[in-house]
Amino acid sequence: MATVVRTYEPGYWDKFYLPAIARGLLLTLVRMFRRKDTIPYPDIKYVPADGYRGLHRLNKDEDGRIKCVACEMCQTACPAHCIDIVPEPAPWDDGGEERHPAKFEIDLLKCIFCGFCELACPKDAIELTEIYDYASFSRDDLIIDREGLLKVYDITSMGNIYERQNRGESIQIDTGNL
Amino acid sequence: MIPFYIGATLVKVLVVFSATLLMIMAMTLAERRVSAFMQYRLGPNRVGWGGILQPVADGLKFILKEDIIPDKADRPIYLMAPVITMVPALMTMAVIPFGAPLQVGEYMVPLQIADLNIGLLYILALTSVGVYGIVLAGWGSGSKYPLLGGLRSSAQLISYELAMGLSLIGVIMITGGLTFGEIVAYQQETGWNIWKQPLAALIFLIAIFAETNRLPFDMTEAEQELVGGYHTEYSSFKFAMFFMSEYANMITASAFMVSLFFGGWDVPFVDEAALGNLGVGLSVLAFLAKVGFFLFLYIWVRWTFPRFRYDQLMRLGWKVLLPLALANVFLTGLYLVWKA
Ligand code: SF4
Ligand code: SF4
């Protein structure tokens, strides 16, 4: 195989360094006026790409009922063992799903945001959303429960929340504990 | 008569001192903002309007931080070093003329704190004293990185002070005076010295970068090799004093450069004396603009070039700048003989 050998021989002017220095200075001067990459965060929020794996949500069907049937597939698939489901018979009796979760908790501190729960779910009931900026002062607050997950559905179902926040809509990420 | 001059001098001292401190504050902000802009960032822009109160916040932080003195430090030397660095850095501004003489009533007040008849030597001497601060800080910290930084700084400063002094000789030869008043007046009559001593100006420019320990000559700090160099062991406001004296030195060096080679407060194509006190204002603005340009150049160069290797630095100082400076003295001498 042929090897390409590149050598550098300084020319006459290169030995004075000054032309190269001038070129370098010119470069940084021109670049000073380029568009900045910084996003001034709380004022303008970074909009993640589609498919971003952030905070979870539990989807609702057309009737506003929880889609999840508490099959525990997500719990089984979860590599971090952070989902805790307690099933119970559904309270409604109109041909809807027969089971639903009495308790559905995700420990967000254990979750690795792999998205396996979303892949495993036969009902498309659990999904990861674009939300990345949630925080709390205690570990307990970062265990999100069923109502919290449903609230996340409410605020994310109308489109990307960061795009909407950047447009000036005020949306609070209020999911109970968080 | 005499009380007026004393009063005027006191006012000038106050103005120059506070202006220098203000410029130091502005420089710390400018450094961060300009560097950010060159790297497509925004820099600190949250405190105050567009970030202009950031230096105040930084200063407060420095004051409130815990002051740690290492066990192994040589206490008196360790405590004295920041002062030794800071005081000469601020004192040098005293001989720089920053504007045309101001007419107050019947008096002419020269806008310069003191026109010493050895003005140039005064500055050279004081900047050398400032180096002691760095060396003593390195020694007094009782830790190896600062010591290395201090050693490097003394070697570097000896090397570049030579070239710097020699480049000044060309200017002194054509001007025929050591006072800043004379040098600026000479440049007003016959044009800026940069046109007559371009080589000296270049050598001087390079040398002041080395003298103020700025990149690409910041061997004494070299974060990657020496952690932080001479101020590694300093915390709280003592660190801030080193930090401020670095900027103070930059301001003095820029003012020095402007006074020697760029006409001082001279506004090109304008007769300041004919304009009265308006001309004085104009000349002060011109001086500030010129100094501002060199301060920007400092930042600009810092965020453009990598650091020299230590042997390259020494080679540049001894093998390139020193012979060039000597040649410049020789050529200037020839020119003067030819003219006479
Ligand atoms: S994203 Fe992965 S780790 Fe997190 S809950 Fe789903 S399956 Fe578990
Ligand atoms: S979220 Fe999906 S996979 Fe998990 S229990 Fe509910 S229906 Fe089953």
Side-chain angles (χ1 to χ4, degrees):
Chain A
M1 212 180 92
T3 326
V4 183
V5 180
R6 288 212 178 82
T7 53
Y8 168 73
E9 275 301 319
Y12 181 72
W13 283 107
D14 290 337
K15 288 182 186 154
F16 288 94
Y17 295 117
L18 292 175
I21 286 176
R23 264 208 306 280
L25 287 176
L26 193 69
L27 182 85
T28 38
L29 187 68
V30 171
R31 294 296 163 90
M32 249 181 88
F33 300 102
R34 224 181 74 154
R35 202 179 58 79
K36 305 291 173 282
D37 291 339
T38 309
I39 298 169
Y41 165 64
D43 301 340
I44 297 174
K45 290 193 169 173
Y46 169 68
V47 180
D50 290 346
Y52 183 87
R53 300 197 297 264
L55 186 63
H56 314 64
R57 74 180 190 199
L58 276 180
N59 290 343
K60 295 180 181 173
D61 62 13
E62 310 81 62
D63 305 331
R65 287 174 186 167
I66 187 165
K67 266 190 177 177
C68 173
V69 293
C71 68
E72 301 183 12
M73 299 268 263
C74 50
Q75 190 177 11
T76 315
C78 178
H81 302 304
C82 62
I83 307 181
D84 186 11
I85 300 170
V86 174
E88 73 176 8
W92 45 79
D93 188 20
D94 51 3
E97 303 293 353
E98 285 160 24
R99 265 158 71 102
H100 86 153
K103 173 182 165 196
F104 195 115
E105 284 183 357
I106 299 177
D107 187 339
L108 295 170
L109 287 175
K110 281 190 195 162
C111 174
I112 57 172
F113 298 96
C114 59
F116 284 4
C117 45
E118 184 175 342
L119 292 177
C121 180
K123 289 284 179 184
D124 285 344
I126 190 164
E127 259 175 35
L128 299 188
T129 64
E130 68 277 4
I131 297 177
Y132 54 79
D133 54 351
Y134 54 89
S136 169
F137 287 104
S138 85
R139 286 165 191 263
D140 291 340
D141 287 353
L142 284 165
I143 297 173
I144 188 168
D145 62 3
R146 196 186 69 169
E147 299 316 310
L149 288 162
L150 288 170
K151 269 190 211 152
V152 178
Y153 175 79
D154 293 339
I155 57 174
T156 52
S157 53
M158 291 101 83
N160 190 306
I161 80 158
Y162 296 116
E163 270 171 17
R164 281 150 63 209
Q165 281 181 341
N166 286 347
R167 262 185 262 125
E169 278 178 57
S170 99
I171 305 165
Q172 290 299 316
I173 304 178
D174 170 28
T175 53
N177 291 331
L178 291 184
Chain B
M1 184 83 187
I2 295 164
F4 174 78
Y5 275 108
I6 293 176
T9 309
L10 282 180
V11 169
K12 279 188 289 186
V13 168
L14 242 136
V15 168
V16 170
F17 187 69
S18 37
T20 313
L21 287 181
L22 260 177
M23 271 162 95
I24 292 173
M25 285 168 73
M27 274 300 283
T28 58
L29 179 65
E31 175 105 70
R32 296 173 65 183
R33 288 286 267 177
V34 170
S35 67
F37 271 53
M38 285 177 176
Q39 297 164 349
Y40 314 151
R41 297 182 289 116
L42 287 173
N45 61 351
R46 295 255 148 196
V47 192
W49 306 268
I52 58 168
L53 290 182
Q54 184 69 39
V56 180
D58 288 346
L60 280 178
K61 190 196 80 174
F62 274 129
I63 293 172
L64 295 176
K65 275 207 153 182
E66 187 188 353
D67 192 11
I68 301 164
I69 300 179
D71 271 350
K72 292 224 175 93
D74 191 333
R75 278 183 80 106
I77 296 182
Y78 178 83
L79 294 179
M80 226 159 56
V83 184
I84 295 182
T85 328
M86 186 77 197
V87 171
L90 289 174
M91 270 167 73
T92 33
M93 281 311 278
V95 291
I96 305 280
F98 54 91
L102 183 69
Q103 180 92 38
V104 183
E106 51 186 301
Y107 302 112
M108 286 294 267
V109 184
L111 288 188
Q112 179 181 18
I113 294 175
D115 196 7
L116 291 184
N117 50 9
I118 47 158
L120 286 184
L121 298 183
Y122 170 81
I123 288 199
L124 289 179
L126 276 183
T127 46
S128 311
V129 171
V131 183
Y132 280 98
I134 294 177
V135 178
L136 289 179
W139 176 254
S141 297
S143 154
K144 60 183 177 249
Y145 289 120
L147 183 60
L148 279 174
L151 284 179
R152 280 181 175 197
S153 130
S154 40
Q156 175 181 333
L157 285 149
I158 290 170
S159 318
Y160 280 81
E161 210 144 77
L162 274 176
M164 180 169 152
L166 282 173
S167 69
L168 289 184
I169 289 185
V171 177
I172 299 169
M173 279 163 79
I174 55 167
T175 324
L178 278 172
T179 74
F180 277 96
E182 280 174 47
I183 291 170
V184 172
Y186 173 80
Q187 294 186 70
Q188 261 194 316
E189 280 164 31
T190 58
W192 295 359
N193 277 340
I194 174 82
W195 307 121
K196 290 175 213 149
Q197 294 279 330
L199 190 58
L202 185 65
I203 296 169
F204 187 75
L205 184 66
I206 296 172
I208 59 172
F209 270 84
E211 287 280 309
T212 47
N213 293 321
R214 284 288 288 191
L215 236 120
F217 301 105
D218 68 336
M219 286 297 144
T220 53
E221 300 177 21
E223 293 88 353
Q224 294 84 350
E225 306 153 30
L226 293 185
V227 191
Y230 62 93
H231 55 52
T232 307
E233 302 291 350
Y234 282 86
S235 48
S236 178
F237 209 71
K238 290 210 277 299
F239 170 75
M241 278 174 84
F242 280 120
F243 197 65
M244 282 160 70
S245 55
E246 182 182 328
Y247 286 105
N249 277 327
M250 280 160 61
I251 293 167
T252 328
S254 305
F256 202 10
M257 179 88 199
V258 166
S259 305
L260 288 176
F261 294 103
F262 291 87
W265 42 262
D266 178 42
V267 192
F269 314 117
V270 176
D271 184 9
E272 293 89 357
L275 286 173
N277 279 353
L278 183 73
V280 175
L282 213 60
S283 69
V284 173
L285 282 184
F287 179 76
L288 286 179
K290 288 177 201 173
V291 171
F293 171 77
F294 280 99
L295 290 175
F296 175 72
L297 186 71
Y298 266 112
I299 301 176
W300 189 8
V301 166
R302 172 170 179 187
W303 297 101
T304 306
F305 300 116
R307 180 181 306 125
F308 274 98
R309 222 169 48 216
Y310 197 62
D311 61 315
Q312 290 172 329
L313 175 92
M314 282 297 160
R315 191 159 359 118
L316 181 70
W318 289 100
K319 288 191 170 171
V320 181
L321 293 185
L322 187 62
L324 273 180
L326 277 173
N328 183 58
V329 173
F330 182 66
L331 287 176
T332 313
L334 277 187
Y335 165 76
L336 285 179
V337 170
W338 172 75
K339 216 177 77 174

